[in-house]
């Protein structure tokens, strides 16, 4: 037997006996590695005469092929064995309680809803809810938008094919205002509620999404006027943004369910590409951002729910929760709210222990 044959047989035996991937790697380096004996032997071919090369080359090349094949086969076998061993070792007992530290976080929208409830509770408001699958009577008609009212078309409504037993259209509520109707019908007056929740419109870009969140506010009592509305919103925003220099602008507007109606804008400035609320929107470097609609509840709405407008009046407002969350926590694309991206949630989410309270602060971030 030639030296090469003896060396090859020894290498093949060592490969067969290797009991770990590390040992196998050491054998690969010894043979086919840059300084391995097979590679060095191959290099000697270059210095041989053509006759010598013809005589020596087949043995070296077949040694290389045999060793490479043996290494590959052994590697695959060792990997399979290792995986089998791991699978046998790492059994999971699904009946055990979770041991890892909690990884979930509270979505900024949920956090802001808790903050809203905390601030408005302090102002004497209760939290009311209503169904997301509504009928057109609560969503439109009782809010003074009859079937032919043009504002119905402006809401880009998602309709269901079926009707209710009373023959009403079924839809995904386009705003939280139907909760005003449901609350007044259930409770009468006086009333002081907020109603946070999901609403739906067929609408999508960086500041509009087909599902978004609003919070409705409703106060009905005797002698309520627009001044109460402005004070309530200003007091809320100062507590919410935790700063005193909040300036609101009430802009005349139109909603069928309020008369007069005002659009609420908040002054902000741009700092390093981030919108920071505070200051007068007309001041240098500042602008106004629309955050909601409001007004005095239309007498026709009070009549729809059986209240006497000569006795009771009130105000209502509807704010975009996602917009105020973006402003407070510095996000710039609304669509990211609903992507379910774990990295976004890890960055912008809140610890479940970070409960907003007025004494500790409604903006504390863990
Ligand atoms: C309304 O929905 C009225 N119901 C508000 C209201 C309530 C007025 C009570 C008077 C009395 P509007 O369509 O303007 O109004 O929506 C209110 C706010 O919701 C907007 O200012 C905005 O902040 C937010 N909003 C509206 N559309 C979207 C959307 N597609 N994505 C995210 N936020 C939105």
């Amino acid at each position: 037997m030639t030296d090469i044959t003896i060396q090859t047989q020894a290498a093949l035996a060592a490969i067969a006996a290797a009991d770990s991937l590390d040992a196998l790697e050491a054998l690969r380096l010894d043979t086919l590695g840059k300084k391995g004996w097979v590679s060095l032997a191959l290099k000697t071919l270059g210095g041989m005469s053509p006759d010598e090369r013809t005589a020596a080359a087949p043995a070296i090349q077949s040694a290389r092929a045999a060793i490479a094949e043996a290494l590959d086969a052994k590697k695959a076998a060792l990997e399979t064995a290792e995986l089998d061993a791991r699978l046998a070792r790492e059994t999971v007992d699904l009946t055990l309680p979770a041991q890892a530290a909690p990884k979930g976080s509270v979505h900024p929208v949920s956090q802001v809803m808790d903050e809203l409830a905390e601030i408005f509770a302090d102002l004497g408001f209760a939290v009311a809810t209503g169904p997301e699958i509504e009928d057109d009577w609560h969503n439109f008609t009782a809010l003074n938008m009859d079937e032919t009212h043009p504002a119905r078309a402006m809401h880009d409504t998602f309709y269901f094919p079926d009707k209710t037993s009373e023959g009403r259209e079924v839809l995904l509520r386009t705003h939280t205002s139907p909760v005003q109707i449901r609350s007044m019908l259930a409770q009468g007056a006086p009333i002081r509620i907020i109603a946070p929740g999901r609403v739906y419109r067929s609408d999508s870009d960086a500041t509009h999404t087909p599902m978004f969140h609003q919070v409705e506010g409703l106060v009905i009592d005797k002698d309520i006027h627009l001044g109460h509305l402005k004070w309530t919103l200003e007091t809320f925003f100062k507590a919410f943004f935790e700063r005193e220099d909040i300036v609101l602008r009430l802009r005349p507007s139109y909603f069928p369910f309020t008369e007069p109606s005002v659009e609420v804008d908040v002054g902000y400035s741009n700092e390093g590409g981030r919108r920071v609320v505070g200051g007068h929107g007309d001041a240098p470097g500042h602008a106004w951002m629309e955050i909601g609609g409001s007004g005095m509840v239309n007498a026709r709405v009070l009549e729809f729910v059986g209240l006497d407008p000569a006795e009771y009046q009130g105000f209502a407002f509807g704010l975009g929760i996602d917009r105020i969350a973006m402003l407070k926590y510095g996000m710039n694309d609304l669509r990211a709210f609903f992507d379910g991206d774990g990295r976004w949630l890890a960055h912008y989410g809140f610890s479940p222990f970070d409960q907003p309270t007025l004494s500790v602060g409604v903006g504390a971030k863990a």
Side-chain angles (χ1 to χ4, degrees):
M1 277 204 288
T2 64
D3 284 355
I4 291 266
T5 319
I6 293 167
Q7 268 180 302
T8 305
Q9 281 179 354
L12 293 176
I15 290 168
D19 58 2
S20 72
L21 286 167
D22 286 346
L24 196 67
E25 177 62 9
L27 288 167
R28 189 189 68 79
L29 290 173
D30 250 9
T31 51
L32 305 186
K34 224 158 139 196
K35 298 205 170 122
W37 62 262
V38 181
S39 308
L40 295 178
L42 279 168
K43 273 196 197 140
T44 60
L45 294 176
M48 293 180 187
S49 67
D51 285 349
E52 285 171 331
R53 195 177 308 133
T54 314
I60 303 175
Q61 269 152 3
S62 63
R64 184 177 62 173
I67 290 172
E69 194 184 325
L71 283 170
D72 281 350
K74 185 70 184 185
K75 189 165 177 225
L78 284 173
E79 279 172 351
T80 309
E82 196 173 286
L83 182 63
D84 287 347
R86 251 183 63 197
L87 288 174
R89 199 168 59 236
E90 294 177 6
T91 51
V92 178
D93 183 349
L94 295 175
T95 62
L96 289 175
Q99 289 175 355
K103 282 242 175 75
S105 60
V106 176
H107 194 284
V109 167
S110 304
Q111 183 78 7
V112 165
M113 287 203 196
D114 289 348
E115 294 175 9
L116 288 167
E118 176 70 17
I119 298 168
F120 278 109
D122 197 52
L123 295 173
F125 285 70
V127 175
T129 54
E132 288 169 29
I133 298 176
E134 257 300 1
D135 60 56
D136 69 338
W137 188 83
H138 289 91
N139 196 81
F140 292 127
T141 313
L143 289 161
N144 196 28
M145 284 184 263
D146 66 27
E147 256 130 77
T148 56
H149 200 291
R152 281 200 185 202
M154 278 160 54
H155 272 209
D156 303 314
T157 312
F158 290 111
Y159 285 95
F160 288 87
D162 316 310
K163 293 203 178 188
T164 65
S165 49
E166 301 102 315
R168 296 174 180 167
E169 298 276 1
V170 183
L171 45 82
L172 288 174
R173 68 178 180 192
T174 57
H175 51 176
T176 42
S177 300
V179 187
Q180 288 187 34
I181 303 299
R182 290 185 177 274
S183 304
M184 287 190 283
L185 284 173
Q187 278 180 245
I191 195 168
R192 210 185 295 182
I193 51 135
I194 58 161
R198 293 192 189 98
V199 301
Y200 304 83
R201 292 182 200 175
S202 172
D203 203 357
S204 191
D205 61 32
T207 53
H208 295 85
T209 47
M211 187 281 291
F212 58 100
H213 301 82
Q214 286 187 342
V215 58
E216 196 77 9
L218 175 70
V219 172
I220 303 284
D221 210 327
K222 295 180 176 165
D223 305 321
I224 298 290
H225 54 75
L226 211 56
H228 293 123
L229 165 67
K230 183 151 194 269
W231 181 88
T232 304
L233 287 177
E234 238 163 42
T235 305
F236 161 68
F237 279 113
K238 283 180 182 170
F240 179 74
F241 288 113
E242 297 181 291
R243 48 194 296 169
E244 280 299 307
D245 64 344
I246 298 295
V247 183
L248 293 186
R249 177 175 75 171
L250 299 187
R251 202 164 20 91
S253 183
Y254 172 75
F255 296 101
F257 34 95
T258 47
E259 181 56 39
S261 301
V262 280
E263 204 93 47
V264 186
D265 298 337
V266 64
Y268 71 92
S269 59
N270 248 315
E271 284 170 30
R274 201 192 137 166
R275 289 177 169 186
V276 178
V277 277
H280 197 283
D282 291 334
H286 286 65
W288 296 108
M289 186 194 203
E290 177 205 311
I291 41 181
S294 63
M296 298 304 294
V297 177
N298 193 315
R300 284 180 58 86
V301 174
L302 295 175
E303 283 163 2
F304 263 112
V305 295
L307 292 176
D308 178 3
E311 190 183 1
Y312 286 107
Q313 325 60 58
F315 64 78
F317 57 83
L319 309 172
I321 294 184
D322 315 272
R323 295 252 167 104
I324 61 176
M326 285 166 86
L327 266 181
K328 181 165 181 180
Y329 295 113
M331 306 99 168
N332 47 23
D333 192 337
L334 184 57
R335 288 165 297 196
F337 274 57
F338 312 115
D339 281 348
D341 183 334
R343 290 163 304 175
W344 189 90
L345 287 168
H347 183 75
Y348 287 112
F350 292 80
S351 158
F353 302 114
D354 195 4
Q355 293 283 339
T357 62
L358 288 175
S359 52
V360 173
V362 289
K365 187 153 172 40

